[in-house]
Amino acid sequence: MEERQMPKAHKLIVNNRKTSMVTGVLDVLSFDLNEILLETEQGMLMVKGTDLHVNRLSVEKGEVDLAGNIDSIAYSSVNQAGRQNENFFTKLFK
């Protein structure tokens, strides 16, 4: 019997382009001072900017707090039906 898990809620809050709080985070795939790549319940989330930092990470709660100068935020979709088709970002960072 297959157990079906309900997706967690995903929320993205940006304050004055300096700080951000993200919920529904499944994994932090990569991060450096100019780019942070997160896997969320709603797809891949790429945050670009300068002097970016991951201030707090709670894997159990699926929460991440970011700080720095946020220039852009972009999503790419993820195949929710089992995620059999890997997307561009997943292939790029393997």
Side-chain angles (χ1 to χ4, degrees):
M1 189 184 315
E2 184 178 317
E3 256 185 64
R4 194 169 221 194
Q5 295 183 358
M6 295 298 292
K8 296 177 185 173
H10 170 64
K11 186 177 0 177
L12 170 66
I13 299 172
V14 179
N15 295 311
N16 297 320
R17 292 180 58 187
K18 299 290 182 195
T19 61
S20 176
M21 197 246 337
V22 186
T23 64
V25 175
L26 302 173
D27 197 8
V28 177
L29 299 177
S30 69
F31 64 92
D32 61 34
L33 292 175
N34 298 313
E35 182 178 283
I36 298 172
L37 182 62
L38 306 171
E39 181 181 5
T40 74
E41 293 287 346
Q42 297 295 311
M44 296 296 181
L45 175 64
M46 182 176 287
V47 179
K48 290 187 177 185
T50 55
D51 199 28
L52 295 175
H53 299 281
V54 176
N55 283 344
R56 183 180 65 90
L57 168 63
S58 173
V59 177
E60 298 81 29
K61 293 182 180 179
E63 297 177 352
V64 175
D65 288 346
L66 309 175
N69 300 311
I70 299 170
D71 293 332
S72 70
I73 296 174
Y75 284 94
S76 66
S77 61
V78 171
N79 182 1
Q80 294 297 331
R83 296 184 186 163
Q84 288 138 356
N85 298 331
E86 293 181 337
N87 67 37
F88 171 75
F89 292 119
T90 303
K91 290 177 184 176
L92 182 66
F93 290 105
K94 276 194 172 179

